Amino acid sequence: MNRSILWLLFISNLLGTLYGYYWYQDQLIETFNTHPLWQIIFVPDSPTASLFFTIAILFLLFPPRSKAWQVIRKVIEGLAVVTSVKYGIWAITMIVAGAALGDDLVWQHYMLMTSHLAMAVEALIYVPFFTCGLGALLIALGWTWLNDTVDYTYGIFPYLSNRLTAHLATVRNFTFTLTFVSFVMGWITMRMSHQTRNR
């Protein structure tokens, strides 16, 4: 909770978020041109997860005082935990699965695996310092399942290699399952941190 560490996390995650949206630019443009406008928000999965975590860190730096902002804070924190863990693990799994099926790995893949691992780890590290409870995590679970549903109903899931696309049903099932697993991981970490504080 050292403020220097928090500012470092805030800045690094903000930069990563901006880069993530840039990474999605082609799919965002394609979706804008070929899909209803409302689907745009469901396209950039990892950058939006990183955005939630960035805002959650900002709330640690500047805790809100009003009741309304405290509720918003809890929801953002819940979204930060579930989505960061989910998309952090998801991206790594897809890259490794693609490589196992014969995809060539380039330096960008290693960069993505490192950054997405950091997303998942930092979210779980900061659960004890967040104010979110089970309710906020359930809201995040619902939102993320909605995102999964839109992705695989309307075909706006993150671009996959041809080898992975051949196994789309498996990818879809894994994605929905991972959302629930990420919720459970966040809830267990939260419960463990609360029990530790109450000893």
Side-chain angles (χ1 to χ4, degrees):
M1 287 295 287
N2 179 280
R3 290 186 71 82
S4 297
I5 298 296
L6 291 176
W7 275 114
L8 179 63
L9 276 173
F10 174 77
I11 293 170
S12 60
N13 278 276
L14 178 60
L15 292 175
T17 299
L18 294 174
Y19 179 75
Y21 284 117
Y22 171 77
W23 182 272
Y24 270 89
Q25 65 174 331
D26 291 340
Q27 188 173 3
L28 285 167
I29 293 170
E30 180 187 357
T31 304
F32 179 82
N33 290 331
T34 60
H35 290 258
L37 187 61
W38 64 268
Q39 293 179 16
I40 287 286
I41 192 172
F42 297 102
V43 173
D45 296 334
S46 293
T48 302
S50 178
L51 177 63
F52 288 142
F53 187 79
T54 302
I55 297 172
I57 293 297
L58 191 63
F59 281 135
L60 289 177
L61 285 163
F62 304 101
R65 296 183 179 180
S66 74
K67 295 286 186 180
W69 276 105
Q70 288 173 8
V71 171
I72 293 170
R73 174 185 181 177
K74 291 177 186 294
V75 173
I76 293 291
E77 289 172 344
L79 288 164
V81 172
V82 174
T83 61
S84 293
V85 173
K86 186 263 181 75
Y87 294 116
I89 296 173
W90 187 90
I92 296 170
T93 304
M94 290 303 106
I95 292 171
V96 172
L101 291 171
D103 288 340
D104 293 328
L105 292 182
V106 296
W107 71 267
Q108 289 96 332
H109 290 120
Y110 295 101
M111 179 269 291
L112 287 171
M113 285 192 288
T114 301
S115 61
H116 282 80
L117 176 62
M119 281 177 58
V121 171
E122 68 185 3
L124 293 175
I125 287 175
Y126 274 85
V127 168
F129 305 105
F130 289 159
T131 62
C132 62
L134 178 60
L137 292 178
L138 285 170
I139 290 172
L141 173 65
W143 167 262
T144 312
W145 263 339
L146 173 63
N147 192 91
D148 296 341
T149 302
V150 173
D151 276 0
Y152 292 92
T153 300
Y154 298 102
I156 58 170
F157 48 84
Y159 287 152
L160 299 170
S161 70
N162 291 334
R163 290 182 173 88
L164 283 172
T165 303
H167 300 274
L168 187 58
T170 301
V171 172
R172 180 197 63 215
N173 295 339
F174 171 76
T175 300
F176 276 86
T177 303
L178 182 58
T179 294
F180 182 72
V181 171
S182 300
F183 158 77
V184 171
M185 290 174 67
W187 180 73
I188 289 174
T189 306
M190 182 185 70
R191 291 278 297 175
M192 290 175 60
S193 66
H194 288 172
Q195 291 173 359
T196 300
R197 283 203 298 267
N198 292 333
R199 285 177 182 172

